[in-house]
Amino acid sequence: MSQQRKRTAVFISGRGSNMAALVKAAQAPDFPAEISLVLSNKADAAGLEFAREHGIETLVLSHRDYADRIAFDAALDAHLRIAGIEIVCLAGFMRLLTPWLVERWRDRMINVHPSLLPSFKGLDTHARAIETGVRLHGCTVHFVRAEMDEGPIILQAAVPVHADDTPDVLAHRVLEQEHVIYPKGLALLASGRLRVENERTIVSDERPVRDVLVVPRV
Ligand code: GAR
């Protein structure tokens, strides 16, 4: 690959399994991004250990140490710049970012959300999917915008909802697909194959849909 691998930061708040999926994908020599920094707003985020074990620089910035959201986001931004970061992946980062920061990273900041957006924004998506009775649920990789769980969709994966599913069982089925589509989404962005027009994502050289829609057997 002639291009430099894009320096990528992953923001986590907890378990960090999506971060781990990105790290593993980026170990492939032809992956167009490298995970250069894992940043957490919580010192006890379990994912930090995985990052350290994999030789990745980690940083903990607690929002409690800053006067307000703007001050916290200015510190985040400063650290990203110092580290020469080009792409930010939110991966279970449970903190709303200010419009200021989101705008600074417009079309260079992506997120994974555990639902087929625009359905089920926010928390407890799996319980709400079961309660609503939808037959298909899933996950979405999207560009980040200032409104929560909004932004141009990059990839989605759908999974069936079974009659006897509990939220935990369904969450596990969805999470497996998050780990598939998040690395794919990052690779598309890092290799320069995405552009946003009228708040829709255009993928250049788009492959057949079977590559981006993952529906396991019922
Ligand atoms: C994931 O399911 C992710 O989609 C979700 O938090 C979980 C984090 O798990 N994110 C959101 O709900 C953001 N709106 P992980 O720490 O194991 O990646």
Side-chain angles (χ1 to χ4, degrees), residues 95-126:
R95 223 184 134 68
L96 273 183
L97 297 169
T98 57
W100 173 81
L101 186 70
V102 171
E103 204 44 49
R104 270 176 98 80
W105 288 87
R106 191 180 182 86
D107 299 345
R108 294 180 299 146
M109 181 184 276
I110 61 177
N111 181 43
V112 65
H113 181 75
S115 78
L116 292 171
L117 289 173
S119 293
F120 308 122
K121 295 173 181 173
L123 298 174
D124 302 322
T125 56
H126 310 299

Side-chain angles (χ1 to χ4, degrees), residues 14-19 91-92 94 111-114 122 149 175 178:
R15 180 177 56 184
S17 71
N18 276 290
M19 175 272 297
M94 292 308 188
N111 181 43
V112 65
H113 181 75
D149 301 326
L175 191 65
E178 294 183 41

Side-chain angles (χ1 to χ4, degrees), residues 17-210:
S17 71
N18 276 290
M19 175 272 297
L22 295 174
V23 168
K24 284 179 198 151
Q27 284 171 342
D30 60 346
F31 197 81
E34 66 173 17
I35 309 305
S36 312
L37 177 67
V38 170
L39 188 149
S40 173
N41 63 327
K42 301 219 163 121
D44 60 355
L48 287 170
E49 193 53 41
F50 175 93
R52 288 187 196 115
E53 279 166 8
H54 285 74
I56 296 165
E57 188 186 331
T58 60
L59 180 64
V60 176
L61 280 190
S62 171
H63 50 270
R64 294 176 208 285
D65 295 338
Y66 295 86
D68 53 26
R69 279 183 188 274
I70 284 283
F72 178 64
D73 282 9
L76 287 179
D77 188 59
H79 281 284
L80 293 174
R81 277 161 206 280
I82 290 164
I85 297 301
E86 299 164 280
I87 293 175
V88 175
C89 294
L90 306 183
F93 187 65
M94 292 308 188
R95 223 184 134 68
L96 273 183
L97 297 169
T98 57
W100 173 81
L101 186 70
V102 171
E103 204 44 49
R104 270 176 98 80
W105 288 87
R106 191 180 182 86
D107 299 345
R108 294 180 299 146
M109 181 184 276
I110 61 177
N111 181 43
V112 65
H113 181 75
S115 78
L116 292 171
L117 289 173
S119 293
F120 308 122
K121 295 173 181 173
L123 298 174
D124 302 322
T125 56
H126 310 299
R128 286 155 58 211
I130 290 169
E131 233 167 70
T132 310
V134 293
R135 276 13 185 200
L136 285 176
H137 185 44
C139 49
T140 303
V141 175
H142 64 98
F143 285 107
V144 174
R145 293 293 183 261
E147 302 76 30
M148 189 184 61
D149 301 326
E150 285 270 348
I153 289 167
I154 298 169
L155 291 173
Q156 293 187 305
V159 302
V161 181
H162 298 160
D164 58 352
D165 273 347
T166 63
D168 282 351
V169 167
L170 184 55
H172 178 78
R173 193 175 304 130
V174 170
L175 191 65
E176 279 182 346
Q177 300 306 325
E178 294 183 41
H179 297 166
V180 173
I181 66 169
Y182 209 7
K184 280 181 192 257
L186 173 58
L188 286 172
L189 177 61
S191 58
R193 291 182 54 204
L194 301 181
R195 65 179 200 282
V196 178
E197 274 176 24
N198 300 323
E199 288 301 84
R200 277 186 56 190
T201 306
I202 314 287
V203 184
S204 57
D205 311 321
E206 192 153 14
R207 302 211 180 102
V209 135
R210 65 171 180 273

